[in-house]
Amino acid sequence: MRRSSFSSMIVFMVLLLTPGQASAHAELDHAEPRVGNKVASPPREVTLWFTQKLEAAFSSISVTGPSGQRVEAGKARVSGNQMSIPLKSGGAGTYHVNWRVLSVDAHTTDGSFTFQVGP
Ligand SMILES: [Cu+2]
């Protein structure tokens, strides 16, 4: 009895001392079109890659075109650590991408970036 409770205590202490999983949340790793880049013609969709897998139900993107109009052409699709959304053309100029995601570690993160369309 004494031996077994001692073993339990060791197990408990090992669990306490074991670091949790790395606390990096889902941050944007890269995107297509690339963050801050210029592309010649309006992209048919924008895709974002994150540093963790996403929970599809609580992850979203909105995109506005050069005149501030929304240009999403459908719902965001999530696959693993990747999220895409189809776009309609908003012409040449600056596009703003705003994202908000829930990663599988149950943390919410958000952010935004721009890309340009034009010659
Ligand atoms: Cu996290």
Side-chain angles (χ1 to χ4, degrees):
M1 183 62 185
R2 169 175 289 177
R3 177 181 292 269
S4 101
S5 66
F6 180 72
S7 306
S8 301
M9 197 174 92
I10 293 293
V11 168
F12 179 67
M13 288 180 68
V14 166
L15 286 174
L16 274 185
L17 294 172
T18 303
Q21 72 181 96
S23 60
H25 314 320
E27 295 298 342
L28 183 64
D29 186 64
H30 65 286
E32 185 60 49
R34 284 184 285 158
V35 173
N37 242 49
K38 183 178 264 190
V39 292
S41 54
R44 300 296 302 275
E45 65 173 21
V46 60
T47 301
L48 287 69
W49 285 264
F50 291 88
T51 56
Q52 283 194 10
K53 289 185 178 180
L54 308 176
E55 293 287 0
F58 301 99
S59 299
S60 60
I61 313 177
S62 65
V63 185
T64 55
S67 53
Q69 80 279 31
R70 299 284 291 267
V71 293
E72 308 95 51
K75 292 201 164 194
R77 301 182 312 278
V78 169
S79 173
N81 68 335
Q82 178 182 339
M83 179 164 62
S84 305
I85 193 162
L87 302 182
K88 52 194 175 192
S89 172
T94 301
Y95 287 66
H96 291 261
V97 179
N98 299 287
W99 55 266
R100 181 177 181 83
V101 299
L102 180 70
S103 57
V104 291
D105 74 354
H107 292 130
T108 301
T109 48
D110 57 50
S112 62
F113 65 91
T114 62
F115 64 87
Q116 319 277 325
V117 172

